[in-house]
Amino acid sequence: MTALNELYQQVILDHNKAPRNFRKMEDATKRVEGYNPLCGDHFTVYVKVDGDRIVDVSFEGAGCAISKASASVMSAMVKSRTVAEAEELFGEFHRLVKGELQGEEEIERLGKLAAFAGVSEFPARVKCASLAWHTLHAALSSSEQSVSTE
Amino acid sequence: MTPSDTDTVTEQFRKMVSIAGCRHQFPLLRQYVNGKPLVYFDNAATSQKPQAVIDAMMRYYQESNSNIHRGVHSLSERATQSYEEVRHKVRAFLNARDHREIVFVRGATEAINLVAHSFGRLALREGDEILISGMEHHSNIVPWQILCEERHARLHVIPITDAGELDLEAFPALLTERTRILAITHVSNALGTVNPIKQLIAQAHAKGIPVLVDGAQAVPHMHVDVQDLDCDFYAFSAHKMFGPTGVGVLYAKSRWLEEMPPYQGGGDMIKSVTFEKTIYNDPPYKFEAGTPNIGGCIGLGAALDYLRELNMDAIRRFEDDLLAYATARILTVPGVRIIGTAREKAGVLSFVMEGIHPHDIGTVLDVEGVAIRTGHHCAQPVVQRFGLPATARASFAFYNTKEEVDAFIKALHKAREVLG
């Protein structure tokens, strides 16, 4: 597989074309905007947290295939997990796109997130892949209303 | 056809051939990127440098490096002479009246900031207005916003049409008795539009309003004559016209340079300093505080020599032909829409592809060895004007070829294939 096909895997193309949880959430407990001024990617992530559990996640906005698919896969992955589990997953995802995970097994363990392994070959795109995650992190951990990857 | 016409055509043909043959003088272009021959279509961001410019700068540091306007020793005199010669070359390049109308700065951005700061302090009062256009680079927006905030003045914007041209019908009414300056781009970096600035300047002058022209995207592509335009200020950067980064030019009519207060204080901009009173140097030195980018200026001088040899009018014809070819070819790619369809354009092809984000186009093209810019091109308001978060932009120089355009088009088809 070429680096390009590795980057734009079918999972990513699917989620870009038909993003999951792509909607505004009226009863969100928190909404945060994420913005990448360099390329204009701009998403709003909504979360509904009950105790320490994320009961719902959604997002809306516009961005490239990598950032949009990443937001979509993220929303599907963290729903019904605890805040701590979601944060741990973010850590793993970050290591994945930075190319810091060693071995097939470690990558496979990430399930659908493994589709983003190809990003590590494109350093300029790491910010695209991480934008939604940074935004979710801000929504879960602080009082900030917006985050920027610059 | 008269014999003189034939001569002109022959001469034009000779120039076209010399332009087509100049590519090998740019060493950077001789490389592979991601295993493909580099196609460099990001010239509006910065241009590549001919060997002559690289050599001139290296020679300066190897043989003549010294501080200017200071030493009595030979090296300093030699450096001073080389530096001041470039001022004369810039004067000739712009056809300015006097070399003392040429101020060396860091780039077009600093040139505009200098005018906003110094001219702004001279001329702007509370309630006054500054007029810019809807297609300005951030560097011709933000300095004026800062000034307006300080002076409680208002910023007004000439709207642009769907084709990416200035709305010339709306323009006259925006020139009011409170307008203190019109600051406008010669060529749009995001759209490629060439503005009819001579006409705009005449209209502004008829109401006594001075005009600053941001020429950063014009000087690499066309002959500029500041006396013919009659602009009050003209700003450009060396690095977009085959010179080095970190040096640029502000042309200003003498009367403004005489009247305007200094921009920065320091060495070289003074005649005498005591703790009680400092007497400023004469223009242009009044505006050149501190040791300037001497090596960069030498590089700029070499770039001007290079362009003079090639001939700006011949460059314009060559590039118009290339842009027309690229425009026709890109329209054969399914789902492509060109952003910026002005009647007169230079060097820029901005576009979007249906269903594919510009950033993804940029990545696929890079894998194919094609370097383009994606995003808002430091001109967010103009991209927003077209309801877009970003565009993809191919921008050309005279060393680009139709074969490169073909490789670019092939890569766009690949983007469609990969991204569906």
Side-chain angles (χ1 to χ4, degrees), chain B residues 23 25-26 89 94 115 136 162 173 179 255 263 279 288 296 308 348 362 365 368:
Chain B
R23 185 183 166 84
Q25 292 157 348
F26 291 76
K89 285 177 187 176
L94 294 175
V115 177
E136 299 307 316
D162 290 343
T179 310
R255 63 163 286 210
Y263 172 49
I279 299 169
E288 292 181 5
R308 194 189 55 225
V348 168
L365 263 56
E368 297 298 308

Side-chain angles (χ1 to χ4, degrees), chain B residues 75-249:
Chain B
L75 272 185
S76 175
E77 273 179 32
R78 199 191 301 162
T80 304
Q81 196 183 344
S82 303
Y83 179 80
E84 290 302 328
E85 269 173 16
V86 179
R87 206 184 299 278
H88 288 270
K89 285 177 187 176
V90 175
R91 187 215 61 77
F93 180 73
L94 294 175
N95 190 33
R97 197 170 284 116
D98 194 302
H99 66 278
R100 285 166 296 195
E101 295 176 317
I102 307 301
V103 181
F104 289 123
V105 289
R106 273 194 302 141
T109 296
E110 189 176 51
I112 298 169
N113 275 278
L114 190 162
V115 177
H117 184 97
S118 298
F119 177 85
R121 266 162 190 70
L122 180 74
L124 211 69
R125 303 282 172 272
E126 187 171 341
D128 283 345
E129 296 167 7
I130 291 167
L131 184 58
I132 61 172
S133 90
M135 64 173 86
E136 299 307 316
H137 187 280
H138 295 163
S139 59
N140 201 25
I141 302 173
V142 184
W144 304 114
Q145 279 176 328
I146 293 171
L147 178 64
C148 283
E149 201 167 312
E150 274 176 19
R151 295 271 153 161
H152 304 288
R154 286 192 302 266
L155 190 65
H156 288 277
V157 182
I158 308 164
I160 55 177
T161 67
D162 290 343
E165 294 179 330
L166 291 175
D167 184 343
L168 295 179
E169 283 178 21
F171 172 64
L174 290 164
L175 297 169
T176 74
E177 58 186 23
R178 298 307 300 264
T179 310
R180 294 293 167 257
I181 191 166
L182 165 64
I184 191 149
T185 193
H186 195 165
V187 175
S188 157
N189 76 310
L191 306 169
T193 310
V194 180
N195 286 321
I197 54 164
K198 190 176 174 179
Q199 176 195 335
L200 303 178
I201 291 164
Q203 282 176 271
H205 282 179
K207 296 190 177 179
I209 299 163
V211 182
L212 174 140
V213 179
D214 172 1
Q217 298 293 339
V219 288
H221 304 295
M222 63 188 69
H223 176 65
V224 172
D225 181 332
V226 290
Q227 288 192 72
D228 178 55
L229 293 171
D230 198 28
C231 53
D232 297 271
F233 304 98
Y234 198 94
F236 68 88
S237 300
H239 76 95
K240 291 191 200 287
M241 56 176 304
F242 320 104
T245 53
V247 65
V249 167

Side-chain angles (χ1 to χ4, degrees), chain A residues 8 17 35 37 39 63 65 125, chain B residues 357 359-360 363 376 380 418-419:
Chain A
Y8 293 111
K17 288 238 154 69
Y35 184 47
C39 51
R125 306 307 297 273
Chain B
H357 192 278
H359 211 175
D360 296 312
T363 292
H376 53 58
Q380 271 181 308
V418 172
L419 291 150

Side-chain angles (χ1 to χ4, degrees), chain B residues 291-369:
Chain B
T291 298
N293 184 352
I294 307 166
C297 260
I298 305 295
L300 167 62
L304 293 174
D305 289 342
Y306 187 86
L307 288 173
R308 194 189 55 225
E309 182 58 32
L310 278 185
N311 183 292
M312 291 312 296
D313 290 332
I315 287 172
R316 182 84 201 271
R317 275 192 299 277
F318 180 89
E319 290 183 357
D320 280 351
D321 184 49
L322 191 66
L323 181 60
Y325 179 74
T327 303
R329 291 281 279 124
I330 204 171
L331 290 173
T332 65
V333 181
V336 162
R337 180 158 64 96
I338 294 175
I339 307 301
T341 49
R343 279 156 294 183
E344 202 184 338
K345 286 178 66 173
V348 168
L349 188 58
S350 227
F351 63 97
V352 290
M353 279 175 91
E354 198 185 346
I356 306 181
H357 192 278
H359 211 175
D360 296 312
I361 300 174
T363 292
V364 177
L365 263 56
D366 180 55
V367 169
E368 297 298 308

Side-chain angles (χ1 to χ4, degrees), chain A residues 105-147:
Chain A
E105 207 173 294
E106 222 181 350
I107 293 172
E108 289 300 317
R109 198 164 48 79
L110 290 172
K112 277 232 166 83
L113 287 184
F116 293 89
V119 173
S120 65
E121 293 296 316
F122 296 84
R125 306 307 297 273
V126 170
K127 281 178 181 167
C128 307
S130 334
L131 177 59
W133 285 94
H134 280 289
T135 314
L136 176 73
H137 171 71
L140 294 177
S141 64
S142 74
S143 56
E144 281 175 53
Q145 292 306 310
S146 73
V147 292

